[in-house]
Amino acid sequence: MSGHTATQSAQPAQPSEPTCAPSRAARELGLKRGEFDLAVHLGRIRTVPDETGTGARVAQAELDRLRGQPGFPEALRESVRVVGTTAGAALMEVSSARLTRLARVGLLIPVKFYLNRYRAVVWLYLAEELRQFAAGQENSALLRQRMPEGLRRKLDGGADLRPRNWRGRHLGFLLRQATDPWQRAGALAAFLDPVQIAEIVDDPYERSHLHRFRPDPPSHGAPGSPAAQLAERLMTADDPDEIAWLRSDLAQTLSEARDHRPAPRPTPRGTPLPSAAEDRTPCDEPVPEEPERPRGLLGRLLRRGSRPM
């Protein structure tokens, strides 16, 4: 899976290091919450796990680092500005159709998407990346001349790498936020359908444990709604090469996760005692047991009847 991803991993903050919640960090950095979340997604803002390990916070030292960068806050805000096809094409001084073709063959990678009122997918791109692509001399022919024959054949064949490239980018974000092998395995499993996962993880207790770390698709509509179902389809790998790569990485990461911490299993209420056959050693000889003598009235009658007359 392709995509531009940073390699910064989430690391716990030092015990004495002050931190703040994402909402406050966004205000202090002059960002809207959506811009802040995208900056974290791209690795522009580093976060640390909160006390529960399920959320994120921003260290004061990270805020100071960002505020000390040249051009703050405009440069930071511009680095996470996203545009759609029409605005992006104007930025690159090409037609909207040209930008779409470049994105379909994987030369431009979406960073986000949303569903419009007709439930059509609208892809969004980083303005910064579009400018960089347009400024590259090596891309001049792609912008101004006829598309190369190889790319035209791909387009004529229906190629559209936008969903796959977005998944690659989103996977990079999830892996950067993971702090142990189970979380990394959950990030990989998020892009495979349940059938693929069941083929790799045949142990039901491991599947259940893995599911705890499997992130949901980005929120689009109420759970179970058509919009949410479409977002789930976009999240699920559908290219054979992509599926094979994810399956291989998931199998390897699961092996690491098992070594790190086995999946929990139900605790037995008690250990059953071994049977007589299991407890006997090869040298043991069977010992004849005397039958239990009847007690009570029946016993007295039987004993009386057994006396010689």
Side-chain angles (χ1 to χ4, degrees):
M1 300 174 76
S2 57
H4 301 304
T5 59
T7 58
Q8 177 65 37
S9 300
Q11 298 293 334
Q14 297 300 320
S16 59
E17 185 177 9
T19 63
C20 64
S23 56
R24 178 180 172 184
R27 290 194 301 270
E28 294 200 16
L29 295 173
L31 298 174
K32 298 177 181 178
R33 183 56 192 266
E35 294 173 330
F36 173 86
D37 291 341
L38 181 56
V40 172
H41 185 127
L42 296 170
R44 309 283 170 80
I45 299 176
R46 296 188 291 260
T47 61
V48 296
D50 63 9
E51 294 179 355
T52 65
T54 59
R57 295 180 68 82
V58 181
Q60 183 62 46
E62 177 67 0
L63 296 178
D64 296 340
R65 181 186 73 83
L66 293 165
R67 283 193 289 249
Q69 292 182 341
F72 177 85
E74 291 79 9
L76 176 60
R77 191 179 301 120
E78 182 62 22
S79 72
V80 293
R81 183 165 72 92
V82 297
V83 292
T85 301
T86 301
L91 189 64
M92 300 177 69
E93 298 182 354
V94 297
S95 67
S96 297
R98 172 79 65 160
L99 185 150
T100 299
R101 290 196 293 271
L102 292 171
R104 283 179 56 191
V105 296
L107 295 176
L108 300 175
I109 300 177
V111 70
K112 293 178 67 175
F113 72 88
Y114 70 89
L115 307 178
N116 63 18
R117 60 179 177 172
Y118 306 107
R119 292 203 289 271
V121 180
V122 179
W123 296 104
L124 300 174
Y125 306 86
L126 279 176
E128 178 183 69
E129 290 184 354
L130 298 186
R131 280 195 301 268
Q132 291 174 355
F133 188 92
Q137 292 295 324
E138 68 278 10
N139 300 324
S140 178
L142 292 169
L143 298 173
R144 310 295 174 215
Q145 301 175 17
R146 189 177 182 182
M147 297 282 283
E149 180 64 26
L151 296 182
R152 288 206 310 273
R153 283 198 301 269
K154 289 183 179 180
L155 292 169
D156 293 342
D160 189 353
L161 296 179
R162 289 174 296 181
R164 176 174 178 171
N165 285 341
W166 171 79
R167 287 192 292 269
R169 204 159 206 167
H170 193 56
L171 174 59
F173 162 67
L174 296 176
L175 290 176
R176 283 197 303 275
Q177 301 305 303
T179 58
D180 71 19
W182 279 108
Q183 290 184 358
R184 290 195 292 273
L188 292 162
F191 299 90
L192 291 169
D193 64 42
V195 174
Q196 299 280 349
I197 295 173
E199 290 178 356
I200 300 168
V201 193
D202 56 3
D203 186 298
Y205 297 114
E206 283 192 343
R207 279 202 306 274
S208 176
H209 191 57
L210 177 65
H211 186 72
R212 294 178 52 200
F213 301 98
R214 190 170 183 256
D216 293 325
S219 177
H220 289 87
S225 66
Q229 292 173 359
L230 178 55
E232 186 174 353
R233 286 199 298 272
L234 286 173
M235 185 86 167
T236 305
D238 56 6
D239 181 88
D241 290 340
E242 180 185 11
I243 292 172
W245 180 86
L246 285 166
R247 285 174 61 105
S248 175
D249 265 31
L250 176 57
Q252 179 180 346
T253 307
L254 273 173
S255 178
E256 298 171 1
R258 294 182 188 109
D259 292 339
H260 173 72
R261 184 181 65 251
R265 297 175 182 276
T267 303
R269 294 184 178 180
T271 303
L273 295 174
S275 65
E278 293 172 340
D279 192 49
R280 186 180 302 139
T281 66
C283 295
D284 288 336
E285 293 293 339
V287 179
E289 295 183 1
E290 182 181 353
E292 183 177 357
R293 300 177 63 179
R295 298 179 181 180
L297 177 62
L298 177 60
R300 290 198 299 272
L301 291 174
L302 290 174
R303 286 194 293 274
R304 182 179 303 172
S306 64
R307 295 174 184 171
M309 297 298 291

